[in-house]
Amino acid sequence: MAGIFAVGSEELVVSPLLMRMATSFDTTVGVMALSVSVYGAATALGALLFAPLGDRVSRRLSLAIGMAVFILGTVLCAFATGTGVFFAGRALAGLAAGAFVPTAYAFVGDQIPYEHRAKAMGILVSSWSLALVLGVPIGSFVGQWAGWRWTFGLLSLLGVLVLSVMPRMGGGRRPGTGDHTVPEESPEPSVGWARSATRAFLAPRVPAYVLATFLVMLGWYGLYTFLGTALEYRYGSKNSLTGVMILLYGLGFASSFVTGRFADQWGKERVLTFSLAGLVPALVGVPLLIHWTAPLAVCLFGWGILQSLVVTLLSTLLSESSQRHRGTILAFYSLATNVAVAAGAAALAPLFTAHGFLAVGCACAGITAVAAGLSGWTSNAATSSPEPVAVSRAKGGSEGEDT
């Protein structure tokens, strides 16, 4: 959780520091903003290339290497003497984040029984909202009063703290052997990376849930990108209500710390489908209610709750699709997320410019409705098929097959 908080804070904290960094390097804000794209692209690449290595070695070792590289990249940013070194540091930190986050999700899959896993995954997911609610304001404050380099210095110290406690962490088992309900799968024969990745992606339900992840994150970031601008149009650039409204969304997202356990009790597939369906009116409601403060506050808080549930459950369901390929599958999940985040703003910016915030909300709601339909279809298909392998194994069923 602390590692994901550090990674999330590093990703998000650049925005309020852009002006100071541009002045320090004697360049423009536009140039420094490219560091956000560099980080995002490196994160997607790191997830695809390095997270699958955890399926072949100890995940704890993979997590430690990822955090060590993250520290190195963050230190490079803190001591950068020019934009080239700074961008190189951002690329290293992004690669490390891409490796660390899906491996952390896979580690939870190894250690926590499936019937309780959404609760544990919800705790990890809440780290992203804590990065937004706590990490970014603290980083911005430190950057304002001590200099932006200190912000990166403190993030690197947090990384050192995380790395120092990893040797004391439990879970030294090989990937796929820590599930309390599912017996160990037979080792996979040594095959090439491309063939192993293909097998992981084609595991049952994986393509559907990865596509649903891409769609729901496209809808989320497409609206969230322009939320601040719409709120400033409504309240004015100096009104604190803009920050309060975004904070309410972050607090709603942080509810995954407790809502995951309810999904464990009520059924993960069912809760996922209902949460996706609930996101559709929420995405339309935000722009429709932009002129009414109290209803908008309720809608933003509800949007955060539903979004956090969706993220938690998609990662949880994908973590159970295959023990053997768990890290690789969650790397595809991370890749779909980062590509959608990068594409959301670019794809919907022309719509926002031409037709406004409501048109963006309707488009994002339509995209999310497709994800809800896909989730419902996948859930029904799973219900009509024989009982999940995880359950059958616990009852003495056959071993050695992916779910």
Side-chain angles (χ1 to χ4, degrees):
M1 184 176 179
I4 293 179
F5 174 81
V7 167
S9 297
E10 169 111 353
E11 180 175 2
L12 298 170
V13 80
V14 167
S15 179
L17 302 176
L18 282 176
M19 183 70 73
R20 294 178 180 84
M21 292 190 297
T23 302
S24 178
F25 291 128
D26 192 24
T27 186
T28 65
V29 170
V31 170
M32 295 310 302
L34 292 175
S35 66
V36 178
S37 300
V38 169
Y39 189 92
T43 300
L45 185 63
L48 190 60
L49 294 182
F50 301 118
L53 295 178
D55 289 333
R56 299 173 180 267
V57 297
S58 165
R59 289 205 214 283
R60 186 169 59 180
L61 177 62
S62 300
L63 288 169
I65 293 173
M67 187 51 59
V69 176
F70 172 80
I71 295 167
L72 175 62
T74 307
V75 168
L76 273 179
C77 290
F79 290 96
T81 55
T83 55
V85 177
F86 183 81
F87 278 35
R90 289 287 286 173
L92 269 179
L95 285 170
F100 183 90
V101 173
T103 303
Y105 290 159
F107 184 86
V108 169
D110 292 341
Q111 303 302 315
I112 306 297
Y114 181 65
E115 60 267 24
H116 304 301
R117 195 175 301 162
K119 177 182 177 181
M121 203 71 79
I123 294 174
L124 259 67
V125 169
S126 69
S127 304
W128 293 106
S129 59
L130 291 177
L132 177 64
V133 174
L134 295 178
V136 174
I138 292 173
S140 178
F141 177 81
V142 171
Q144 180 180 355
W145 293 103
W148 65 266
R149 295 180 187 274
W150 281 96
T151 299
F152 287 94
L154 288 176
L155 287 172
S156 66
L157 288 177
L158 178 57
V160 171
L161 177 63
V162 173
L163 186 61
S164 68
V165 301
M166 281 184 179
R168 301 181 180 90
M169 232 171 30
R173 293 177 285 265
R174 289 182 57 82
T177 64
D179 196 303
H180 294 250
T181 61
V182 183
E184 179 181 354
E185 292 183 79
S186 58
E188 180 184 31
S190 179
V191 297
W193 176 88
R195 182 177 296 179
S196 178
T198 301
R199 289 179 180 176
F201 186 76
L202 295 179
R205 300 193 295 175
V206 170
Y209 281 136
V210 169
L211 178 57
T213 299
F214 174 79
L215 292 172
V216 75
M217 295 306 291
L218 185 67
W220 168 72
Y221 206 72
L223 190 69
Y224 187 81
T225 298
F226 305 104
L227 176 62
T229 302
L231 290 172
E232 287 190 3
Y233 283 149
R234 167 66 178 87
Y235 297 113
S237 59
K238 296 183 179 180
N239 195 314
S240 61
L241 275 175
T242 295
V244 170
M245 290 297 176
I246 295 177
L247 177 63
L248 283 170
Y249 171 82
L251 291 174
F253 198 95
S255 67
S256 64
F257 197 90
V258 294
T259 55
R261 65 177 180 176
F262 296 114
D264 284 327
Q265 296 169 3
W266 298 336
K268 299 174 183 63
E269 294 89 349
R270 182 186 302 110
V271 174
L272 173 62
T273 301
F274 279 112
S275 297
L276 283 167
L279 278 176
V280 175
L283 291 169
V284 177
V286 169
L288 281 176
L289 299 173
I290 199 74
H291 296 291
W292 293 275
T293 299
L296 176 63
V298 173
C299 190
L300 284 170
F301 187 73
W303 179 24
I305 292 174
L306 292 170
Q307 189 72 37
S308 68
L309 262 175
V310 167
V311 172
T312 297
L313 292 173
L314 283 170
S315 55
T316 301
L317 289 166
L318 283 168
S319 74
E320 189 64 8
S321 297
S322 169
Q323 279 185 282
R324 181 185 299 144
H325 300 292
R326 184 172 280 149
T328 305
I329 289 169
L330 287 165
F332 282 119
Y333 165 82
S334 183
L335 178 66
T337 297
N338 284 283
V339 171
V341 167
L348 294 168
L351 186 64
F352 178 77
T353 302
H355 302 287
F357 194 44
L358 180 57
V360 172
C362 292
C364 293
I367 293 169
T368 305
V370 176
L374 183 61
S375 172
W377 173 81
T378 305
S379 178
N380 290 335
T383 303
S384 61
S385 63
E387 62 178 341
V389 175
V391 176
S392 65
R393 286 176 183 159
K395 297 178 179 177
S398 62
E399 300 181 14
E401 298 177 13
D402 290 340
T403 308

